[in-house]
Amino acid sequence: MRNLTLKQFKTVQAIVSHGKIVSAAKVLGLSPPAVTIQLRQVEEEFQLALFDRTSDGMRPTAAGLAFVEAAQAIEERLRLLDDEMDAIKGVRTGSLRLGVVSTAKYFAPRLMAGFMKEHPDIDMRLAIGNRAETIDSLKNHDIDIALMGRPPKEVSVRASVFGDHPLVIIAPPEHPLASARDISKERIAEEHFIIREPGSGTRISLEIFLSDVPGRIDDLGVEMGSNETIKQAVMAGLGIAFISAHTIAAETEAGRLVILDVVGMPIRRQWFSVMRTDHVISPAMATFNDFLMRKGATYLPLFGKLYPHAEANEAAPRQQAMATGKRLE
C-alpha cells in the first residue's frame, strides 16, 4: 500500500460519486484513460476489483466501499491537520461541519449565530436532515458534529448532553380536550394521531409511551414527513400530534396550537452533541462542544405552558432547569 497516492484516493472517490469513468474524469480534469489507469493501478495493488462494471455504470464492490471509507478518513484527517497547524501558529481559525436532525432546525441557526459571534474566524457549515440522513452523514464523514435527540447505535460515537428536550402532545385550540386537565393515557390513545416516519426520535418515543395500551401502536395514525406538515395538519383539525416542544414556539404563542395536559407529559428527553469516536477532535470541534456545554441550553425555546396544572411558583424551577440543561428528578 506504500505505492498508493492521494490522487488515486480522489480518483476512486470521484468514480463512486459519479458512477462512470467519463463523469469522474470530467470532475477531476483528467482524461478517461488517465482515470482508468489510476483505477487499474489501485486494483493491481490490492489484487481486488474495486468496482463491478455494469451497463448502468460502476458499482463499488465491498473492497471499493472499504477503500472509499479510508479515503474519506484520510481527507478528514488532512483537513484536521490544517486546523491543527493554524492552532499551533496561534491562528484562531478552523472549519466545522455541523449536522442537525430536522427537529433541531428550530434553534440551530440561533445557536450557530451565537457561536460565530464569539468565534468569527471559524468557518461553519450546516446540514439539516432526518435522523437516518444525519446518521448516514456521520458514517460517511460528511459532518464533524451532529445534534440529535438520541445517539445512534449504528456507529460508535461520543455523546454529550447539552440541554433538555421536552416532547408534548398538541391539538388545535378548538379541540374538545384543549381545556381538559390530567388527561389519561388511555383517553389520549383514543385520538387520531399524525406521526413522523418510522425511525424518527419522536415516533419511537410515542411508541414507547403508548406501548402498554393494548393494540394502540399497531395503527398509530397518518404518517407525515416533516414537523411543519404535521403542525399544519393539526391546525387544520386532522388530528393531534406528539412532537418536540422546541418546534412549536411560534404557534403556541400565537394561539394556533395548544399543548394538551396529558398525565406523564411532557416526556423529558435530552439533546446530544455527537461525534464519531474515531474522529480526532479538531480545535474547532473542541471549541464548539465547549460552547454547547456552557451555553447550548440557553438557545433552546422555553415554554411557560408546559405545566398548565401547576402553580407558577412550582413551574418556575422546572423552567429554570430547562434553561440550564439540568435533569429534573
Side-chain angles (χ1 to χ4, degrees):
M1 293 198 302
R2 293 179 180 177
N3 296 323
L4 296 177
T5 66
L6 289 176
K7 184 177 292 186
Q8 289 170 335
F9 279 106
K10 289 183 178 296
T11 296
V12 175
Q13 281 183 292
I15 297 172
V16 171
S17 297
H18 299 281
K20 294 183 178 180
I21 295 287
V22 172
S23 302
K26 185 175 181 180
V27 170
L28 295 168
L30 301 172
S31 67
V35 171
T36 300
I37 290 171
Q38 290 194 46
L39 174 58
R40 186 181 301 125
Q41 289 172 341
V42 175
E43 292 182 324
E44 289 175 354
E45 180 73 22
F46 288 105
Q47 294 296 298
L48 288 169
L50 300 191
F51 293 91
D52 289 324
R53 279 73 168 172
T54 73
S55 58
D56 296 328
M58 307 284 282
R59 293 184 179 177
T61 62
L65 293 174
F67 190 86
V68 169
E69 172 76 12
Q72 291 169 333
I74 291 169
E75 191 174 69
E76 183 178 275
R77 190 62 185 86
L78 289 174
R79 189 174 63 85
L80 173 60
L81 177 62
D82 190 47
D83 289 350
E84 289 175 333
M85 291 301 179
D86 281 340
I88 291 170
K89 290 186 291 187
V91 180
R92 297 179 62 83
T93 62
S95 60
L96 180 69
R97 302 167 300 173
L98 180 66
V100 305
V101 294
S102 55
T103 302
K105 71 181 181 182
Y106 295 90
F107 63 82
R110 291 195 306 112
L111 180 66
M112 283 182 61
F115 176 74
M116 293 173 73
K117 186 175 181 180
E118 290 189 13
H119 304 279
D121 293 326
I122 293 181
D123 177 41
M124 286 195 73
R125 297 182 183 181
L126 176 64
I128 298 172
N130 61 29
R131 177 176 172 80
E133 291 168 339
T134 302
I135 292 173
D136 282 343
S137 293
L138 274 173
K139 286 181 179 178
N140 297 330
H141 300 269
D142 292 331
I143 57 177
D144 300 311
I145 296 178
L147 305 184
M148 56 177 55
R150 290 180 301 111
K153 297 179 180 179
E154 300 92 330
V155 57
S156 180
V157 297
R158 306 179 185 93
S160 305
V161 174
F162 69 90
D164 234 9
H165 184 194
L167 303 172
V168 297
I169 293 180
I170 57 171
E174 65 275 9
H175 193 279
L177 296 178
S179 58
R181 294 292 174 262
D182 296 324
I183 304 165
S184 69
K185 182 186 297 188
E186 291 72 22
R187 173 63 186 89
I188 204 67
E190 296 173 4
E191 294 294 313
H192 180 74
F193 279 84
I194 301 167
I195 57 177
R196 286 293 300 269
E197 72 280 359
S200 74
T202 50
R203 170 75 170 263
I204 292 171
S205 294
L206 178 60
E207 290 171 348
I208 293 172
F209 180 70
L210 296 176
S211 61
D212 55 355
V213 179
R216 188 61 185 88
I217 64 173
D218 296 334
D219 182 20
L220 279 176
V222 176
E223 289 183 16
M224 294 190 179
S226 72
N227 291 317
E228 287 303 314
T229 306
I230 287 175
K231 290 190 293 184
Q232 291 298 322
V234 173
M235 287 187 281
L238 296 180
I240 65 174
F242 181 77
I243 199 167
S244 166
H246 292 146
T247 68
I248 55 171
E251 292 80 7
T252 54
E253 290 173 4
R256 297 194 297 272
L257 289 171
V258 296
I259 298 172
L260 298 184
D261 183 26
V262 179
V263 175
M265 293 281 179
I267 293 177
R268 308 199 79 85
R269 295 291 183 258
Q270 295 172 314
W271 282 112
F272 290 86
S273 166
V274 175
M275 295 177 277
R276 291 180 59 131
T277 54
D278 60 356
H279 192 318
V280 179
I281 300 176
S282 70
M285 291 170 64
T287 302
F288 181 75
N289 213 51
D290 176 68
F291 175 84
L292 272 181
M293 298 305 108
R294 290 185 294 106
K295 298 184 177 180
T298 65
Y299 290 91
L300 302 176
L302 302 178
F303 293 85
K305 297 181 179 179
L306 281 177
Y307 304 91
H309 61 286
E311 298 295 333
N313 61 352
E314 180 184 346
R318 295 179 181 270
Q319 295 302 311
Q320 184 178 9
M322 288 177 63
T324 58
K326 295 179 180 177
R327 288 187 61 80
L328 294 169
E329 300 298 333

